[in-house]
Every structure is written in structure tokens, then in C-alpha cells.
Amino acid sequence: MRFKDKVAFITGGGRGIGRAIALGFAREGADIALGDINKTDTDKTCADIEAMGRRGLSIEMDVTNPGSVGEAINKILDKFSKVDILINNAGITKDNFLLRMSDEQWDAVLKVNLSGSFNCIKAVAKPMIKQRSGKIINIASIIGIIGNAGQANYSASKAGIIALTKTAAKELSGRNVNVNAVAPGFIETEMTARLPEELKKKMMQAIPLGRFGSPDDVAAVCMFLASEDAAYITGQTIVVDGGMVMA
Ligand code: NAP
């Protein structure tokens, strides 16, 4: 019960990696606020969290809209009076080769993945600074480290998240707020389910541990980073990829 009496806010928390993170924190005692553009999924995850005996809050929100993010934080503070943990997980892909990538594809991905994380960090930083404690975890990707053909927008957004993590860590460390990133490799979710079988086969060959990751593999590292065991870690990006990328 590492997170008893803690409040965790997870964006894009209705399904995939976000849902696994939410259920993981709830299992270890946290109350959970879930923010997602589609409330159908968060309502279901919220019901599952309440069935575990925790308090849950399902919020329809758009991370790209600072007003919507601000309203979400107010709802969380109204219900729980504080926010201890933010997981910036909401993310999208709109793949295309560089020369064919439209401005819309570029802007949409940067807006959700990078600006969305910035908006949420900015909004939770105020209550966390006041509390003099907080843990912020940003979900990046190994693609933000190594790049990937067809993902100029996604790779730039995830590399931006890694840099944003370092700056936020430097700015907030004086107020006891740790900011770290997790960079997953290939994790089995709806986002990766739509990739061609041929590409999946090729990826599998590049994974030394010989399997794709599960959302729970990512959740476990988020929980470690939000725990007191990681009190002396800030500004770091932890790669969770079965060994695909080694520095
Ligand atoms: P997913 O299943 O597609 O879930 C992403 C969630 O974010 C969805 O519920 C989505 O809502 C929500 N979302 C999208 N735009 C939003 C917005 N503007 N405001 C609020 N919520 C929004 O993806 P996933 O695979 O679990 O990925 C979660 C995170 O891990 C992402 O940041 C992704 O880039 C990262 N990641 C994933 C992998 C992987 O292999 N799966 C690898 C590396 C990194 P709707 O879709 O319902 O609209």
C-alpha cells in the first residue's frame, strides 16, 4: 500500500497504458482522477477503481486546452483537496513520411503529446508547490530517443517531453517535486494493435527479452518513480523496452 492517502491524476487514463497505471496505483491504495477526451472509457475504469474500495473521479477533458485542464484540476481539488501524482499519459500518433506529412498531422501530435504535457504540468505545479511535495511522470517513448521513419511528429513530441522533464525537474526540485519520464518501447495496446504484422515481426527480433511489453510493465515503473524509493531521482528518463535501446 505504497500510495495510501495519495491522489493520482492520470491523463488518457481510460484505456491502454493509462488504465493499467490507474489500476496499479489504486491497487496500492491511491485515490484516482482520470482525465480523457472520451469519458466512456474513463467511466468504466473509474467504476473498476471504486469496486476496489478507492475513490475515483472520471473527467472529460482535452489536454490541448489549458481551460479544460484548469477545470479538471479544480474538480480534483474540490473532490480530493490535493493532487500528489500526475501521470502525463495522453498521447496520439498520426504517422506519415516527412515529405507527405501535413501541417495538421504535425500540429495535432505536437499539441496533444507535448503541449498537453506542458499544460498539465503547469496546472498541477501550483498545488504541488503549495503542498511542497509532488511527483510528475511524463510518458515519453524510445522513439523520442532513436527516431523512427514515418514518425517525425511523434518522435519530436516525445523528445520534447524528455527535455521538458529535465527543465521541469530543475525548476520544481526546490519545492520537493520530482519530475521524471518513462520511455516505453513496444507495448501491446490499441495504439500498437493497428501496426502491420510484418513490422511487428521485425520489432520482435530487435527485443533482447523476446516479448512485447505489457501496460503493467510501464505501470510498475511509474509506481516506482512515484514512490518514496525514488525520492532521490529527478529529471531522468527510464527506458522500459525489453532491451531494444541500450545507451
Ligand atoms: P492509447 O490506447 O491510444 O491511449 C491513449 C489515451 O489518450 C486514449 O484514451 C485517448 O483517448 C487519450 N487522449 C488522446 N488525446 C487526448 C486529449 N487531447 N486529451 C485527453 N486524452 C486524450 O495509447 P497507449 O498505447 O495506451 O499509450 C499511452 C501513452 O504511452 C501515449 O503517450 C503513448 O505515446 C505512449 N507510448 C505507447 C507505446 C506503445 O507501444 N503503446 C510506446 C511508447 C509510448 P481516445 O483515443 O479515446 O480519444
Side-chain angles (χ1 to χ4, degrees), residues 11-19 35-38 41 61-64 88-93 112-113 139-143 154 158 161 182-192 194 215:
T11 68
R15 62 182 165 88
I17 293 172
R19 175 178 156 85
D36 203 302
I37 198 135
N38 173 356
D41 288 338
M61 64 171 287
D62 180 356
V63 294
T64 69
N88 267 318
N89 166 78
I92 60 168
T93 53
V112 174
N113 298 5
I139 306 299
S141 166
I142 55 164
I143 302 306
Y154 187 77
K158 295 299 187 178
I161 284 177
V182 174
F186 190 107
I187 308 299
E188 284 184 308
T189 66
E190 282 180 39
M191 188 181 264
T192 46
R194 48 180 183 258

Side-chain angles (χ1 to χ4, degrees), residues 120-183:
C120 293
I121 291 173
K122 207 171 157 188
V124 298
K126 286 176 201 154
M128 284 182 177
I129 284 170
K130 241 193 200 164
Q131 288 162 204
R132 295 245 186 291
S133 73
K135 308 279 186 188
I136 297 174
I137 294 150
N138 302 315
I139 306 299
S141 166
I142 55 164
I143 302 306
I145 300 169
I146 59 171
N148 194 24
Q151 292 198 306
N153 47 6
Y154 187 77
S155 61
S157 74
K158 295 299 187 178
I161 284 177
I162 292 170
L164 172 64
T165 298
K166 293 174 189 173
T167 296
K170 286 183 178 180
E171 290 191 17
L172 300 176
S173 58
R175 303 302 173 99
N176 195 30
V177 177
N178 300 48
V179 188
N180 289 291
V182 174

Side-chain angles (χ1 to χ4, degrees), residues 28-115:
E28 296 211 27
D31 292 326
I32 308 288
L34 302 157
D36 203 302
I37 198 135
N38 173 356
K39 204 165 166 287
T40 320
D41 288 338
T42 48
D43 282 348
K44 193 185 167 301
T45 302
C46 193
D48 293 339
I49 284 161
E50 283 170 347
M52 292 161 81
R54 310 284 171 256
R55 291 187 297 162
L57 179 62
S58 168
I59 307 166
E60 189 168 284
M61 64 171 287
D62 180 356
V63 294
T64 69
N65 177 342
S68 169
V69 173
E71 275 173 32
I73 299 299
N74 287 340
K75 283 181 191 160
I76 294 167
L77 295 176
D78 279 351
K79 175 147 184 172
F80 301 114
S81 307
K82 62 174 187 163
V83 53
D84 300 296
I85 299 157
L86 164 68
I87 312 285
N88 267 318
N89 166 78
I92 60 168
T93 53
K94 283 190 189 293
D95 299 350
N96 216 338
F97 288 112
L98 197 59
L99 294 181
R100 285 192 220 130
M101 186 170 285
S102 67
D103 292 348
E104 288 72 27
Q105 287 174 319
W106 171 266
D107 288 342
V109 171
L110 266 291
K111 234 176 147 186
V112 174
N113 298 5
L114 185 54
S115 305

